Amino acid sequence: MTPRLPLAHLGGLTADEFLRDYWQKKPLLVRNAFPDIPALVGRDDLIELSQEEGIEARLVLEKGGKSPWELRKGPFSPRQFKQLPKTHWTLLVQAVDHYLPELAAYWDAFRFIPGWRTDDIMISYAPEGGSVGPHYDQYDVFLVQGAGQRRWQLGAQCDQHSPRLDGTPLRILRDMPVTFDETVNPGDLLYVPPGLAHYGVSQNECLTFSFGFRAPVLSHVLEQLVDAALEAAGSDRLYADPGLQPQANPGWINPAHLQALKTQVLELLRDHTRLDTVLAPFLSEPKYPDYEPVGEAISPDELLDVLQAGALICRDPASRMLYLGEAGHADRLFINGEAVEDLPDGRFVALLVDHRQLDEAHLRDWLAETNNLTWLCEQIEQGYWLILGEGEEEYDE
């Protein structure tokens, strides 16, 4: 994807234009941006996922619950769904892309945004009238309509001081003046920047795919840096002032001394090499801390055979992968918060990390090198890369 290539799913905007004019600035509606997405997941698929242990799922009942806007957490049972009212409720399932590589491949539509900013693809299902109320999120989201129709209203920028509805754990806004009012159809995309009030109500039975982007809490980033700086400096490193000048008022805190103290503290955080090695593992931590990938053993010959038969190599959708080095060349690789040692060709590693799915044509020349082929087999056995059998669909940007 080149920054100046018009993108149909962004309404003909280039990546440069979208980031300059819309990203974290204003919403964007694109009709029929992803016509194939609605067929990927249906109502029954989502309900089945919500009944699985370990999958994050929620139900929001505007009406028909114990109280208005009741929130319930999964896993759910078939009986619970049978007891739901006919209208005005919503099922939300997080990280559906972790379980559907075909869905995860659609992240490539947004590959112009750094990979460490991606969070997950949540899917919501709602009968007529279903909603989670007027609210705002602290992250960027691309809302892609699946089956059915949803009416979206947008309001003003909000923050923690915006008045909220009492009596519910949901962060529902008490009032939302409307500045945008559109009904979306299957395949339509609506980008909503962080902090912008939005309110979506299903007009009939519908599903909505939410491509969410995370933003690390800066205090958490600082905590990582401070911990690393303290470890590197040791606990016995003291403030030093060999150029101290006489002071007539010992009870006075001299601003120059405060500046010297600040300078010495900040000096602990100025090692750029340490900055990389501290933040790369932190930014590559998986969404769910207890996640452990499951792999399958495969020999180099078997891998070449299945690729020639039409299989795809797919990144494990639930694992986060980032590399350091130059763009397109990995010197160091981090997966799920851990450094991966003994890398093969750095360009080959970057190719794998930069793409969600690759076929034999993309990999043929690289796998002619024994070190690359052997390493990829080892990674597949650890579960970091998966094999999608012949006939699996691939999103093609």
Side-chain angles (χ1 to χ4, degrees):
M1 180 181 293
T2 60
R4 295 179 178 83
L5 177 69
L7 302 173
H9 61 277
L10 294 182
L13 294 172
T14 67
D16 276 344
E17 290 169 337
F18 172 78
L19 294 176
R20 182 193 67 205
D21 299 333
Y22 291 90
W23 179 254
Q24 300 198 338
K25 301 177 186 70
K26 61 182 180 180
L28 173 68
L29 173 64
V30 180
R31 299 292 185 182
N32 203 33
F34 293 100
D36 298 332
I37 272 189
L40 285 179
V41 180
R43 168 188 179 274
D44 293 343
D45 300 319
L46 203 63
I47 288 177
E48 185 176 341
L49 280 173
S50 75
Q51 298 175 30
E52 296 288 334
E53 195 72 41
I55 293 182
E56 187 179 357
R58 293 165 290 159
L59 275 168
V60 175
L61 284 77
E62 179 182 359
K63 302 176 181 178
K66 296 178 181 178
S67 61
W69 298 109
E70 180 186 353
L71 174 64
R72 300 176 184 176
K73 296 184 179 181
F76 302 107
S77 67
R79 181 181 178 183
Q80 287 175 289
F81 283 104
K82 291 179 181 178
Q83 295 174 339
L84 290 172
K86 291 184 178 180
T87 63
H88 292 84
W89 58 270
T90 299
L91 170 67
L92 306 105
V93 180
Q94 295 289 154
V96 180
D97 54 320
H98 289 191
Y99 315 103
L100 276 180
E102 299 89 341
L103 177 59
Y106 277 79
W107 279 118
D108 278 349
F110 307 107
R111 56 179 298 145
F112 55 88
I113 300 170
W116 60 269
R117 293 283 268 110
T118 62
D119 191 12
D120 73 335
I121 303 175
M122 180 189 76
I123 302 181
S124 65
Y125 163 80
E128 182 180 349
S131 169
V132 296
H135 66 287
Y136 71 95
D137 298 311
Q138 295 178 316
Y139 50 83
D140 301 85
V141 63
F142 293 87
L143 301 163
V144 179
Q145 186 62 22
Q149 295 175 306
R150 183 178 290 273
R151 180 185 180 187
W152 282 108
Q153 295 178 313
L154 305 181
Q157 285 294 128
C158 301
D159 57 28
Q160 67 271 24
H161 302 297
S162 301
R164 299 179 187 174
L165 195 65
D166 297 327
T168 173
L170 302 172
R171 298 187 299 179
I172 297 176
L173 296 169
R174 193 179 303 164
D175 182 44
M176 193 191 88
V178 176
T179 60
F180 170 104
D181 193 334
E182 295 282 351
T183 296
V184 296
N185 302 304
D188 290 352
L189 173 146
L190 176 63
Y191 164 70
V192 180
L196 187 68
H198 52 288
Y199 182 25
V201 180
S202 59
Q203 303 301 287
N204 41 47
E205 190 175 42
C206 79
L207 289 98
T208 302
F209 295 66
S210 300
F211 290 72
F213 287 78
R214 64 180 183 145
V217 179
L218 294 181
S219 61
H220 294 171
V221 176
L222 181 60
E223 185 178 351
Q224 298 291 320
L225 294 175
V226 169
D227 287 346
L230 291 175
E231 182 178 353
S235 59
D236 57 348
R237 185 165 175 175
L238 304 177
Y239 169 73
D241 53 0
L244 184 65
Q245 299 296 310
Q247 182 168 310
N249 305 93
W252 173 53
I253 299 179
N254 190 326
H257 299 163
L258 286 179
Q259 183 60 44
L261 181 58
K262 176 183 176 182
T263 299
Q264 292 182 40
V265 169
L266 291 179
E267 198 64 42
L268 299 178
L269 304 176
R270 289 178 179 165
D271 186 331
H272 295 291
T273 301
R274 185 164 65 242
L275 182 70
D276 290 345
T277 57
V278 170
L279 292 187
F282 170 67
L283 295 176
S284 70
E285 289 177 352
K287 180 177 179 66
Y288 299 107
D290 58 351
Y291 173 69
E292 293 184 8
V294 178
E296 57 177 316
I298 188 169
S299 70
D301 288 341
E302 290 171 335
L303 178 56
L304 294 176
D305 287 344
V306 297
L307 286 173
Q308 290 172 1
L312 301 173
I313 293 297
C314 168
R315 279 178 44 184
D316 172 33
S319 291
R320 284 205 175 111
M321 305 176 185
L322 300 170
Y323 64 86
L324 295 176
E326 299 296 328
H329 190 291
D331 292 334
R332 300 194 65 186
L333 173 64
F334 298 85
I335 301 180
N336 295 340
E338 301 291 338
V340 178
E341 305 297 336
D342 302 323
L343 300 182
D345 190 304
R347 296 167 298 168
F348 173 61
V349 175
L351 176 73
L352 290 169
V353 176
D354 283 337
H355 294 81
R356 292 282 171 169
Q357 295 181 0
L358 291 166
D359 60 16
E360 193 265 347
H362 290 94
L363 295 169
R364 182 187 305 126
D365 293 341
W366 294 105
L367 295 183
E369 172 57 49
T370 301
N371 287 344
N372 293 339
L373 179 59
T374 302
W375 184 83
L376 181 55
C377 288
E378 293 171 350
Q379 294 295 300
I380 292 172
E381 186 169 358
Q382 294 183 60
Y384 297 136
W385 271 269
L386 312 175
I387 299 172
L388 294 185
E390 183 178 5
E392 295 283 349
E393 294 184 357
E394 174 187 17
Y395 174 74
D396 185 16
E397 171 56 40

